[in-house]
Structure formats: C-alpha cells, structure tokens
Amino acid sequence: MKTRITELFGIEHPIIQGGMHFVGLAEMAAAVSNAGGLGIITGLTQRTPELLAKEIARCREMTDKPFGVNLTFLPAVTPPDYPGYVKAIIDGGVKIVETAGNNPQKWMPALKEAGVKVIHKCTSVRHSLKAEAIGCDAVSVDGFECGGHPGEDDVPNFILLPRAAEELKIPFVASGGMADARSLVAALALGAEGMNMGTRFIATKEAPVHENVKQAIVAASELDTRLIMRPLRNTERVLTNAAVEKLLVIEKEKGASLSFADIAEEVAGVYPRIMVNGEMDAGGWSCGMVAGLIHDIPTCKELVERIVREAEEIVAGRLTRMFARQPAMA
C-alpha cells in the first residue's frame, strides 16, 4: 500500500503504533517497525533524556527500519527536561517524532533543522490546522472513541475525519477506534492516509506489559470504557475497574469543587503498577472503545499482515463486487 504517509515516513504499510505510557518501549516499537508499520518509543516513559538515549540505541539493535519517538508536552509545575529529550532524539538519529499535548511550536525549529518529520496528535480540526500552520508534516486525528485524551469536543471519527479531509493539505492518519482491516479501509475512504492504533497494539505478544493487561482488553466489550476527569477538562478514556468507579463517585460527589488532589490516588503514578505488575484495579489506564473489537493476542507481524491482506480483500473483493456493472435486462 502506498499513501502519502508511507512515502513521508519510509514505511511499508500505513499503520502507526502511537506513543503509549509504559507500553512504547524499544521492543514494542521494533516489533511494529519490523512488521512494516511505524513503531513509536514513548519518550516520557523514560525518566531522563539519558535513559531515552539508551532506549533509542536499544531499539536500533532490534530493527533497521524507521521508528519514531513520542514526546508529549504537558503543563507542569516542574516540567520534564524537554530540551534534553529533544537533544536525545536528534543525537540518536531519530527522524520521526510524534508530538502530543501542548503546541509543539517552540521545538519545531530544532527538529526541522535536524531533518525530523513531525506528526502531531489532534482531537479537532482547528488544532489540526494549527499544527499544519506551524510546520508539522502530518497529523494524527483522534476521534472521541480513542483511548487516552479525546479532547472536549466529543466528535467521533465518522464526522471528524471527513472534516479534516476538507480542511487539511498535509496528510493525516485516523486514530481512535482503529483495530483491523475494516478500520483501515474506512479511514482511507474518509480521507485519511493511514491509521494509528494504540489499544490494539497493547494486545500483541510483543507488547511489554503484564499478561493481565492484554487479557483485560480481550475480555472487554465496547461498553467497558469510562470518561474520567471531565470536570477538570482533562478528559481521559480508560478501562473501567474498581478504582475508576470509585473515582467517578468522587467526581459526582465533589461536583464543581473537584480538584486533582481528590482523585490523585486513582490516577497518579498508577501505570507501573498496572502495566508492569498487572494490578488491574490500581487505577485508571488509557483504553479505547475499540477493545470491543479485539479478540486475540497475535504477534505484531501477524496483526499487520492480516490487516493489509484483509483490507485488500475488502477493496478488491466485497466493494468491487458491489460496484460491478450488471448486465442490461433484455
């Protein structure tokens, strides 16, 4: 498959593994890249720029294919060492960066000077246009279905993707609700040049997370996610569990007086306990509604090849038959 995304990033298939906290390690990124997609190392999972540099080097030992690094810019009293992380990316020879969170404009000159291609995650058309205006090479358009932070507009991909196609000149990929060949074909039909998968890639053999996490995704239905932190306008879609349901009760009881401190126990620092230790009720962790479409735990290679093969069958088979010219009636 050739799209503007495969040409931009030098990859075989228009399938990207988005940055995910405590999931996007070297083995995850390398497995996706070796399968012909674009693997992504999650920068801030590495506590320091020095550790990120080591993770980039570790990934290079596992693949000779293109891979990227996710760098999420978050407001914080004591922000991460972003200059150090950017330097580690550039010095490591990484040529693709997935940015997320706040506007990455401040970091664009250094990245562009180093020949780095930037794809920014957006949850709205207006943010996508801003990313285009500041020089991003592509955007990942994240619909309301997505795991993690879907923004505050609540627009699903069936509307958001064609709206993005109407407005954008740079290529974009669809994110949120992406799991299989049907997702890819639909995304392409709606104007995207590929798709970004998060939750689906967690449920793969190479994903460096506890088996409990993978089994929880397979067992979940499309009804098993919840939106938390809405009152704080920092909405996150997570898989439900005891801690999440407790958090939602606190949000309801506190109402307009809710502060982050009220729910910190359920959201702050829980990822190592969940992803590494498999403590599934430790707190809220990002998961998309797409969990309802995930029924197995294949290798990344099996998954990507299956998606591409079945996408071709859908387009060349089912859809082509629908448009086949019928013989005229006598």
Side-chain angles (χ1 to χ4, degrees), residues 41 43 46 48-60 67 69 84-85 87-89 91-92 94:
I41 294 171
Q46 305 302 318
T48 66
E50 292 75 21
L51 289 173
L52 176 58
K54 290 180 180 178
E55 197 70 5
I56 291 169
R58 201 162 72 87
C59 193
R60 289 214 180 280
F67 65 88
V69 172
Y85 283 108
K87 185 176 187 300
I89 290 167
D91 290 351
V94 174

Side-chain angles (χ1 to χ4, degrees), residues 44-299:
L44 295 187
T45 294
Q46 305 302 318
R47 297 187 310 279
T48 66
E50 292 75 21
L51 289 173
L52 176 58
K54 290 180 180 178
E55 197 70 5
I56 291 169
R58 201 162 72 87
C59 193
R60 289 214 180 280
E61 293 175 356
M62 301 180 194
T63 184
D64 58 0
K65 304 288 183 65
F67 65 88
V69 172
N70 165 279
L71 201 50
T72 300
F73 300 105
L74 300 170
V77 176
T78 306
D81 180 8
Y82 286 121
Y85 283 108
V86 171
K87 185 176 187 300
I89 290 167
I90 293 171
D91 290 351
V94 174
K95 294 301 181 184
I96 303 164
V97 167
E98 178 192 62
T99 54
N102 288 349
N103 189 327
Q105 186 169 8
K106 176 181 178 181
W107 311 102
M108 292 295 289
L111 292 170
K112 303 306 286 184
E113 186 178 338
V116 176
K117 304 292 186 184
V118 177
I119 178 170
H120 187 61
K121 291 179 74 68
C122 303
T123 59
S124 68
V125 174
R126 64 185 182 278
H127 292 153
S128 300
L129 287 169
K130 182 63 176 180
E132 180 177 78
I134 66 172
C136 290
D137 300 279
V139 290
S140 173
V141 177
D142 290 26
F144 184 55
E145 308 93 326
C146 74
H149 298 280
E152 307 300 324
D153 293 344
D154 300 1
V155 181
N157 267 330
F158 244 74
I159 307 301
L160 192 58
L161 296 177
R163 279 290 296 123
E166 289 178 349
E167 301 283 349
L168 291 170
K169 295 180 178 64
I170 58 175
F172 65 94
V173 298
S175 184
M178 302 292 116
D180 55 27
R182 296 168 298 183
S183 311
L184 180 56
V185 173
L188 296 174
L190 292 171
E193 304 272 347
M195 68 178 180
N196 179 306
M197 299 195 302
T199 304
R200 171 68 269 200
F201 274 124
I202 300 178
T204 57
K205 286 187 165 51
E206 294 93 342
V209 301
H210 198 283
E211 185 65 21
N212 290 354
V213 178
K214 302 178 186 184
Q215 294 299 332
I217 291 172
V218 171
S221 82
E222 66 276 14
L223 303 176
D224 290 330
T225 67
R226 300 289 184 267
L227 295 171
I228 63 174
M229 297 190 286
R230 298 227 88 178
L232 302 177
R233 292 191 64 78
N234 187 30
T235 302
E236 182 179 6
R237 186 179 297 281
V238 300
L239 192 68
T240 188
N241 58 35
V244 167
E245 296 301 328
K246 175 186 174 184
L247 182 156
L248 291 171
V249 170
I250 294 171
E251 287 187 347
K252 185 175 181 180
E253 290 175 346
K254 291 286 184 178
S257 67
L258 181 76
S259 70
F260 183 77
D262 296 321
I263 56 173
E265 182 180 344
E266 286 76 34
V267 294
V270 300
Y271 269 78
R273 293 175 58 192
I274 296 164
M275 297 297 175
V276 179
N277 300 335
E279 300 175 34
M280 301 314 297
D281 288 322
W285 58 282
S286 296
C287 180
M289 296 174 79
V290 75
L293 296 176
I294 298 171
H295 310 301
D296 62 352
I297 304 174
T299 66

